[in-house]
Amino acid sequence: MSNFFSKAEVTSSGRPVLLRNEVECHLLSAVDLEPEDHRHFSLLKSGLLILTTHRLIWLPSSSASTPTSASAIPLAAISHIFSSKKSLKSVFHSPRIRFQVLVSSDGRVFDPGSESGSSSGSGSRSVVVTAVIRGKGDCDGFLVKFWDSWRARSWEATETSDSGSASASGSGAATGTGGGLYSSDGSVRMVGVAGILRKEQEMWESTDKSLQDAFQDLNALMSKAKEMVMLAEKMRQKLLSGTSSQTSGTNDEDMGSKEEMQDWLLSVGIISPVTKESAGALYHQQLSRQLADFVRIPLERAGGMINLIDAYCLFNRARGTELISPDDMLQACSLWEKFDVPVMLRKFDSGVMVIQNKSHSDEEVFARIKSLVTKPEALLTGISPTDAAMTLGIAPAMAKEHLLTAEIKGLLCRDISPDGFRFYINLFPEIDPCNMYFVKNYGICSTWIKAVSTTG
Amino acid sequence: MQKLGDFKLPHFFNYPPYFTLQPVRETREKQIQLWKELILDYCRTQKIFVIRLEEEFPLFSNSVIERTLSHEAREAFLSALVAEGRAEWLDKGRRNCLILWHRIQEWADIIVNFVKDNGFEDSVMTVEEIRSGIESRGTELQGIDRTILVRALKLLEHKGKLAIFKGTSTDDEGVKFSV
């Protein structure tokens, strides 16, 4: 049986890949999607139903025995949403949401993205789809949000905004060729000092109106935030093109602050944070997946291991609003065990908690530490956490944890002195207390003695 | 090879971690073992009977690598010797430690041999004579710590090998052997 619905893309952690400007609004669990025509099309059973500004996305639950891929219905294809009828029967059934979907000639959901134009090849036929909600989610709340998103028609805004900006710049450039304050199309001309003042005035007025709009309605604020992110993205592009065109005569300071700028902009990345409101009881699950996605890049930059606290700060900073508590963070990380994500939470003996790649190998790190600590100079003076940090390419605090773990394993010994905290290769196992003055002429002990005697 | 006076030091004496009390159990046990042997060796050859923690002790510092054992480390190593019966704390505050590089029983045996070698089986001597008399020169008993000597003598008295009595002069005790 073929799939009635369109295919939806999913990340490696099982999170849906959102379209440009698409924002998540609500979530329901354990939902069946039944197209009216059961005979030709398979129904989707017991999945996660996510409502966004552009689509209805259905994700299979991880416990599903047959792997069904994620599906979606563009809101643009929906022609009608039925209101819920409260009858005596509905008290005993699972709640249902029914809506009408336009279908194309092959009987599947009409996908406005794949076909050009609005009416060519679109279905005059429509089919009723029923969503049966078997989970404990807030069905009425979802229905309300469903109506709102459908009526808002955010997917059309994307198309018009591109053409809209073109027309705006068109009218601005049309300064009249004749004299006088008014140009040929009736708009006020900007000439002379009066023109400048008027321009300023208009700018202030529009800014003022913009601010008012933003603050009146929190929903509108959300869309302004999206503009801010777009602005940040534009600035980032400018920075990128700026640095590449610079010649070698760049000031070091300039480069430093430009890097800072880039880093800051990169952290303002997530447009649609998973919130307690839109996910309800599944909050931690979705948060957990989003965190796994997010933490990939900082992990790479930190060399494969990052302090939990640092990750927490970065994540919250990227979310901007709807900050999560440390407890939420911990829970989200602990849930990773249940999913198939490439990251894991790890607690060192010292109590320090870190996030590391599942592929991270302790043995490999120890091998590198061992080769570092048996170099002639290190045999003499040992290594500090900073030395290890530079060799391993990770933060000094993380390097110290590795050194401490190596010490516990008996690979290293510590040396505490006014010079600081240093580590040496462990020679103690090589020394025989019954024969203290004897040294084998092979092995690490003799290497150490040779290294020591060349300087002494 | 490095020396402390005329005492030959082992190579690991210049290994800086040797002077830091190791936290990892296995490593620490080895470290303690090495220090115990070294302390006993040093005290035996230098005829040192008491270590006072608050004073400088040449073995506990290494000027070449600029390291010194912390008070905690010294106490740890000496306590290990005490636990093994090779040392005793002289005070509750653990500031002074009596080093028994020969156990009391061993000293007792040495005294018995000394008596036999010199034919003192039925003689009388003062305690002081045992440790600084002509006969004791060149033997292990020369310069033996008084406390240890008296303890060894008491052990032998308990076994009936001798009797200790107060001498005629107020400052010394005498010993009558019956070995």
Side-chain angles (χ1 to χ4, degrees):
Chain A
M1 289 218 254
S2 55
N3 198 354
F4 175 74
F5 306 98
S6 325
K7 198 173 184 316
E9 270 186 69
V10 154
T11 71
S12 56
S13 307
R15 289 268 307 150
V17 173
L18 300 180
L19 305 169
R20 204 169 142 245
N21 299 325
E22 187 178 11
V23 177
E24 287 176 49
C25 301
H26 212 79
L27 244 187
L28 283 177
S29 64
V31 175
D32 297 345
L33 278 186
E34 299 171 1
E36 200 180 329
D37 188 3
H38 290 228
R39 293 163 297 154
H40 289 132
F41 298 106
S42 47
L43 43 98
L44 302 176
K45 274 201 155 300
S46 200
L48 201 62
L49 188 66
I50 302 178
L51 170 71
T52 74
T53 48
H54 291 47
R55 301 177 286 173
L56 266 180
I57 305 175
W58 184 89
L59 297 177
S61 65
S62 40
S63 56
S65 46
T66 49
T68 16
S69 50
S71 309
I73 304 170
L75 292 183
I78 297 180
S79 55
H80 182 66
I81 304 177
F82 295 97
S83 41
S84 57
K85 295 182 292 213
K86 294 271 191 240
S87 67
L88 200 59
K89 252 208 278 181
S90 64
V91 174
F92 296 103
H93 285 177
S94 311
R96 283 157 160 71
I97 294 180
R98 292 164 69 238
F99 49 93
Q100 239 175 346
V101 173
L102 296 171
V103 293
S104 51
S105 39
D106 64 354
R108 295 173 69 247
V109 166
F110 167 59
D111 191 349
S114 59
E115 283 144 271
S116 58
S118 52
S119 54
S120 58
S122 79
S124 41
R125 292 206 300 130
S126 46
V127 156
V128 173
V129 175
T130 309
V132 185
I133 294 112
R134 301 190 191 281
K136 290 206 184 82
D138 174 17
C139 198
D140 292 329
F142 186 90
L143 190 56
V144 169
K145 287 257 167 69
F146 191 14
W147 272 100
D148 287 341
S149 299
W150 183 59
R151 275 195 300 226
R153 307 191 81 83
S154 313
W155 56 93
E156 286 171 6
T158 350
E159 288 135 42
T160 53
S161 67
D162 295 327
S163 51
S165 52
S167 54
S169 55
S171 60
T175 49
T177 45
L181 217 45
Y182 291 93
S183 58
S184 46
D185 65 346
S187 61
V188 183
R189 271 214 317 155
M190 304 295 178
V191 270
V193 177
I196 295 171
L197 287 176
R198 190 153 294 128
K199 219 192 254 175
E200 288 263 12
Q201 175 78 357
E202 289 198 1
M203 204 176 67
W204 279 117
E205 277 172 7
S206 82
T207 311
D208 191 39
K209 183 162 191 309
S210 171
L211 280 172
Q212 276 193 17
D213 282 340
F215 280 109
Q216 251 170 29
D217 189 358
L218 269 177
N219 284 335
L221 182 60
M222 268 291 281
S223 63
K224 294 296 177 193
K226 196 170 27 82
E227 279 181 35
M228 286 301 292
V229 173
M230 271 171 33
L231 176 65
E233 185 60 35
K234 274 198 201 126
M235 287 179 73
R236 192 175 96 85
Q237 295 295 344
K238 254 205 197 117
L239 269 178
L240 280 176
S241 60
T243 48
S244 61
S245 64
Q246 296 259 352
T247 56
S248 53
T250 322
N251 194 344
D252 261 12
E253 221 180 86
D254 270 356
M255 289 302 286
S257 60
K258 281 202 167 74
E259 297 241 315
E260 238 179 74
M261 208 41 179
Q262 279 201 23
D263 275 357
W264 176 76
L265 290 173
L266 208 61
S267 71
V268 189
I270 302 180
I271 294 186
S272 79
V274 174
T275 67
K276 275 194 168 100
E277 195 188 89
S278 67
L282 298 174
Y283 175 61
H284 285 115
Q285 274 199 37
Q286 291 299 305
L287 184 67
S288 178
R289 290 186 194 273
Q290 189 182 56
L291 181 61
D293 279 339
F294 170 78
V295 93
R296 225 172 23 90
I297 297 177
L299 250 189
E300 256 180 65
R301 284 200 295 176
M305 187 176 282
I306 187 172
N307 197 326
L308 184 65
I309 297 174
D310 293 340
Y312 173 68
C313 292
L314 288 172
F315 191 51
N316 260 345
R317 229 174 128 212
R319 286 174 68 95
T321 55
E322 303 281 356
L323 307 182
I324 63 169
S325 69
D327 213 41
D328 289 332
M329 179 85 178
L330 250 185
Q331 281 216 3
C333 293
S334 336
L335 280 179
W336 283 338
E337 287 173 1
K338 304 210 179 97
F339 308 142
D340 187 20
V341 288
V343 288
M344 57 181 270
L345 183 67
R346 170 185 181 167
K347 189 171 182 178
F348 281 106
D349 288 314
S350 56
V352 169
M353 293 212 265
V354 299
I355 296 176
Q356 70 180 43
N357 279 320
K358 264 198 186 138
S359 58
H360 170 95
S361 146
D362 270 354
E363 271 65 40
E364 203 236 319
V365 173
F366 289 153
R368 284 162 80 186
I369 290 177
K370 188 165 182 190
S371 75
L372 173 66
V373 93
T374 45
K375 290 202 164 61
E377 222 192 84
L379 282 176
L380 276 177
T381 56
I383 57 169
S384 69
T386 323
D387 297 331
M390 287 201 288
T391 309
L392 297 173
I394 58 179
M398 300 290 99
K400 189 165 183 185
E401 288 306 318
H402 281 306
L403 292 176
L404 288 172
T405 312
E407 184 191 35
I408 290 173
K409 285 212 148 59
L411 181 66
L412 302 176
C413 279
R414 65 172 60 181
D415 164 47
I416 300 176
S417 72
D419 296 336
F421 202 125
R422 301 184 77 86
F423 288 90
Y424 287 73
I425 184 100
N426 187 2
L427 293 178
F428 284 110
E430 303 277 319
I431 309 170
D432 180 6
C434 306
N435 206 346
M436 287 196 298
Y437 295 87
F438 172 70
V439 181
K440 296 185 274 222
N441 53 12
Y442 56 87
I444 187 66
C445 233
S446 69
T447 318
W448 178 74
I449 290 178
K450 283 198 194 92
V452 169
S453 55
T454 46
T455 56
Chain B
M1 191 76 74
Q2 216 180 310
K3 286 189 176 193
L4 206 57
D6 59 347
F7 179 73
K8 214 166 64 160
L9 289 165
H11 60 278
F12 56 81
F13 197 69
N14 280 347
Y15 179 55
Y18 189 56
F19 284 82
T20 302
L21 194 56
Q22 296 296 319
V24 177
R25 195 167 56 92
E26 223 178 291
T27 315
R28 186 206 287 247
E29 277 168 11
K30 196 59 171 299
Q31 183 188 29
I32 288 179
Q33 244 188 326
L34 293 173
W35 270 108
K36 281 199 301 194
E37 288 301 320
L38 194 62
I39 293 171
L40 286 177
D41 267 352
Y42 184 71
C43 290
R44 182 181 305 127
T45 56
Q46 309 295 311
K47 289 231 168 181
I48 294 172
F49 296 93
V50 179
I51 297 182
R52 302 186 195 283
L53 263 80
E54 267 149 30
E55 284 172 12
E56 273 218 30
F57 191 61
L59 193 65
F60 290 158
S61 306
N62 184 339
S63 51
V64 172
I65 56 170
E66 291 174 344
R67 295 282 185 276
T68 307
L69 281 181
S70 67
H71 186 95
E72 191 199 350
R74 297 178 195 207
E75 218 193 288
F77 301 139
L78 291 174
S79 298
L81 278 174
V82 171
E84 211 187 320
R86 304 308 300 255
E88 278 176 20
W89 289 112
L90 289 170
D91 58 330
K92 276 218 174 74
R94 297 194 172 191
R95 283 184 295 250
N96 304 298
C97 195
L98 190 69
I99 309 295
L100 300 169
W101 35 270
H102 276 313
R103 293 177 199 275
I104 302 287
Q105 179 56 57
E106 286 161 8
W107 282 117
D109 293 339
I110 291 171
I111 292 169
V112 166
N113 289 335
F114 168 72
V115 164
K116 284 188 176 152
D117 287 346
N118 289 287
F120 288 148
E121 284 88 342
D122 290 311
S123 321
V124 175
M125 287 177 81
T126 65
V127 172
E128 195 54 40
E129 272 174 336
I130 297 175
R131 64 187 290 271
S132 55
I134 304 174
E135 293 88 358
S136 65
R137 285 211 195 124
T139 70
E140 291 202 83
L141 288 173
Q142 182 183 13
I144 182 179
D145 180 83
R146 236 193 115 86
T147 319
I148 293 181
L149 179 58
V150 168
R151 292 265 292 276
L153 291 174
K154 285 215 170 105
L155 180 64
L156 287 170
E157 185 183 45
H158 192 71
K159 290 203 172 139
K161 303 272 187 181
L162 52 86
I164 307 175
F165 54 90
K166 270 271 182 221
T168 46
S169 53
T170 45
D171 55 356
D172 205 5
E173 293 165 307
V175 179
K176 162 102 177 65
F177 296 108
S178 45
V179 169

